[in-house]
Amino acid sequence: MPLGPDVIHNEVPPTGEGEIESNMVNCESRGKRRSSADKVTSRIATIMENRDSNLQIKIIDAGKSSDSHSHQLQNYVVYLIQLGTVTVKRRYSEFEALRKCLKKEFPTLIIPPIPEKQSLKSNIAFTTTNSFGFASSALSNTEHNNSVVVPNKSSDGTRPSDSIPMANLVEYRKRMLAAFLNKIFKVERLAESRFFLNFLDPEVSFLDYVTNKENNPLYRTSIYRLSPSRPLENLENQLYLTLPIPSSADSHLFKELSEEEQFQKFVSFEAKFIKYELVLSNISKLNKHLMKHIGELSEEISDLGSSFSQFSLIQDSTYIENIGRLFDRHKLLLSALNSSINIGFMDKLMELKHFSITCKGLMEYNRKKIIQYKLIEKDLYNTRSRYKRYEVEEIRIRKIDQKMENVLHKGDGGNHENDEIVDPPITDEELQTALYSKSYNKPIYGKIPGVSKLNNIILKYVSDPNPDETRRTKFYNLKLRLFQLERQYQITQQDLGLINSAVMSELEVFHNWFKEELRKLVLAYNKFFKEYFMKSRDSWIETNSD
């Protein structure tokens, strides 16, 4: 069975083999935080263990609900999900939370997309008929921003009508969210995630679950400060939690990145999809016009059928009456064709668009991890240079102190011309403790604007009571920083190798899957029209034979 975004993804080897793994200061044991919250109901566990390829997750209903928040009544839609004999109610924000958790737990995988967030007042008919967006600004939006601002006018100048019921939006979301859950359900690694299992558990309030003491670290921590292969086991690893968060703006600091092999592969991959984007955008646009004309033709044929029925009464003609019924049946056939194009073709195009955006987000993650590695490399180089200068100065000061001590004690301290600093090495445990202390024990006054500047002014005119201790502390902190950067350089270098390999493998699999899905989509599209023409022809033949 071929791999793809809706089947088993590529396995990512664990990070931290050898020395790096052994020096993680037991972060793995500290990170294995399993509790009773992970134990889903026995019904869910039984279904997951005995599931077969035919079992599917269904969204069988959706309805409005309300909640009082900040003394204001807020309306939202609750979706009723069914898996076997289990039913659970979830709102859209919980689907968002599930996907966010899966992205962070499996950052090198293509997590299936969900439909964009919209106001319940907006109409999905407008959304699906607005613009396919492959070649428009929609692609510039990353998957991290699910909010979509619906414009006042579409590309053809029309406005979405507020009189159209929001049932269109709800039904669209039901179909797309069900597809999202089933794609996860087919991927063994995703389906076995504790977040997915608890999402399906009717006894769990999912938003409370992902924000509880155990899961909140993953939920609130930036994806760039999580281990790419074992994030749940390294939630307390300060080497990851203190990594610099890269931004796209940092890329200008490293002009050479454009020549990197991985970046070149991304450019090649994106070039392939530009062609798809332009063609599919035009196909989508033409189909929207086609659906509009079919809808108008359907109404006119219905009116024509009514006119022929009235005409048959005047003429007292069975044949004319059959012609009127033929037009009525043809109206139903056109409505069915329109529905097939909308649900079986346009919906799928929207889903493929969302998958394309998801792939862009995956490539952006890979790019930023490379930038993060370069930032650490640059900081490490500068810190090493500073440390060498401080080390030379420290050795000089210690020699002076030693000579002074020898003079005071009238002893011969020996020849110290080749003395070196032989302080005990910093251990990983010491580093983790120091970094944790800096992260969680920051003084309150440090957050007050202007206090830091005031302290510097005061210290300028107050003599240091123990300058030697201050100097040694600064030197120790610099040494600690150097050791931190060296360890972060090691783990990010090893992680980056895994990320580059996993992401490119995932993208190649996605490309093949994407082409196959397009082939199936064209076959289905052809089938819709073939069935319409066959049934239409049969109706005309039947009427003429009578």
Side-chain angles (χ1 to χ4, degrees), residues 6 17 22 47 85 92 107 144 346 356 423 426 457 484 520:
D6 55 344
E17 297 179 355
S22 63
I47 292 173
T85 59
Y92 180 83
H144 303 289
M346 299 297 286
S356 179
D423 294 334
I426 298 174
I457 294 174
Q484 174 192 357
K520 293 178 181 178

Side-chain angles (χ1 to χ4, degrees), residues 421-463:
I421 298 177
V422 288
D423 294 334
I426 298 174
T427 64
D428 268 5
E429 185 174 4
E430 184 180 357
L431 176 62
Q432 292 280 342
T433 302
L435 293 178
Y436 180 88
S437 178
K438 286 184 178 180
S439 299
Y440 294 95
N441 296 324
K442 293 181 179 179
I444 297 178
Y445 63 81
K447 297 181 180 180
I448 302 176
V451 168
S452 178
K453 184 176 181 180
L454 180 62
N455 286 341
N456 292 334
I457 294 174
I458 295 174
L459 291 175
K460 183 178 180 180
Y461 296 99
V462 177
S463 60

Side-chain angles (χ1 to χ4, degrees), residues 175-243:
R175 297 192 299 268
M176 302 302 282
L177 292 175
F180 163 72
L181 293 177
N182 279 295
K183 281 181 169 57
I184 294 175
F185 192 56
K186 291 179 182 178
V187 182
E188 186 175 355
R189 293 176 65 192
L190 299 181
E192 293 178 352
S193 167
R194 72 190 193 192
F195 298 105
F196 185 62
L197 296 177
N198 280 277
F199 179 85
L200 297 175
D201 187 353
E203 298 181 7
V204 172
S205 173
F206 191 67
L207 290 180
D208 290 340
Y209 175 74
V210 298
T211 55
N212 64 18
K213 184 178 179 180
E214 183 177 13
N215 297 312
N216 191 50
L218 178 80
Y219 192 69
R220 64 177 172 79
T221 302
S222 168
I223 193 173
Y224 300 104
R225 285 181 170 173
L226 295 172
S227 168
S229 59
R230 295 188 298 178
L232 297 179
E233 289 81 6
N234 285 280
L235 289 177
E236 294 181 358
N237 189 338
Q238 296 299 314
L239 289 175
Y240 280 108
L241 295 178
T242 56
L243 287 173

Side-chain angles (χ1 to χ4, degrees), residues 255-464:
K255 302 294 185 181
E256 69 277 8
L257 285 180
S258 60
E259 304 299 325
E260 288 275 344
E261 181 182 3
Q262 192 76 352
F263 276 61
Q264 291 293 327
K265 289 180 179 179
F266 289 155
V267 171
S268 175
F269 184 85
E270 289 170 337
K272 293 177 183 178
F273 274 80
I274 289 177
K275 299 177 181 179
Y276 283 122
E277 293 164 7
L278 294 175
V279 174
L280 293 178
S281 178
N282 191 46
I283 291 175
S284 176
K285 179 180 178 181
L286 293 174
N287 271 277
K288 285 177 286 187
H289 288 301
L290 178 62
M291 290 169 60
K292 178 182 177 182
H293 294 322
I294 290 176
E296 294 171 351
L297 178 61
S298 175
E299 294 302 322
E300 292 176 354
I301 284 181
S302 178
D303 294 339
L304 191 57
S306 298
S307 298
F308 269 101
S309 296
Q310 294 174 3
F311 185 35
S312 68
L313 294 175
I314 298 173
Q315 287 288 98
D316 192 19
S317 170
T318 303
Y319 179 76
I320 296 176
E321 183 181 1
N322 290 338
I323 293 293
R325 291 176 179 175
L326 175 63
F327 281 115
D328 289 337
R329 288 198 298 269
H330 200 69
K331 188 259 185 185
L332 297 176
L333 291 176
L334 285 172
S335 297
L337 176 62
N338 231 7
S339 178
S340 296
I341 295 175
N342 186 41
I343 296 176
F345 186 73
M346 299 297 286
D347 275 10
K348 191 64 180 177
L349 283 181
M350 289 295 294
E351 184 183 21
L352 292 177
K353 182 201 80 168
H354 293 149
F355 262 112
S356 179
I357 295 174
T358 299
C359 285
K360 287 180 178 289
L362 184 62
M363 287 188 285
E364 184 67 11
Y365 168 76
N366 197 165
R367 282 191 180 101
K368 287 186 177 180
K369 289 298 288 185
I370 295 175
I371 293 174
Q372 183 184 64
Y373 170 74
K374 289 291 185 179
L375 289 172
I376 294 172
E377 185 179 52
K378 181 179 180 180
D379 197 1
L380 176 60
Y381 175 81
N382 294 333
T383 303
R384 276 177 176 165
S385 300
R386 287 179 58 206
Y387 180 79
K388 288 179 180 179
R389 293 196 301 270
Y390 272 69
E391 188 178 35
V392 170
E393 183 66 16
E394 183 68 17
I395 291 174
R396 186 183 69 82
I397 294 175
R398 290 190 184 188
K399 285 181 179 179
I400 294 174
D401 291 343
Q402 184 64 41
K403 289 179 180 180
M404 290 292 295
E405 184 178 349
N406 291 338
V407 170
L408 291 174
H409 292 84
K410 297 181 181 180
D412 184 11
N415 185 11
H416 298 283
E417 291 299 323
N418 296 322
D419 283 357
E420 295 182 358
I421 298 177
V422 288
D423 294 334
I426 298 174
T427 64
D428 268 5
E429 185 174 4
E430 184 180 357
L431 176 62
Q432 292 280 342
T433 302
L435 293 178
Y436 180 88
S437 178
K438 286 184 178 180
S439 299
Y440 294 95
N441 296 324
K442 293 181 179 179
I444 297 178
Y445 63 81
K447 297 181 180 180
I448 302 176
V451 168
S452 178
K453 184 176 181 180
L454 180 62
N455 286 341
N456 292 334
I457 294 174
I458 295 174
L459 291 175
K460 183 178 180 180
Y461 296 99
V462 177
S463 60
D464 189 347

Side-chain angles (χ1 to χ4, degrees), residues 465-483:
N466 195 340
D468 287 342
E469 183 65 26
T470 301
R471 188 194 77 249
R472 291 178 183 272
T473 300
K474 288 183 178 180
F475 183 71
Y476 172 79
N477 288 335
L478 182 60
K479 184 178 180 181
L480 193 71
R481 174 62 177 166
L482 177 61
F483 185 60

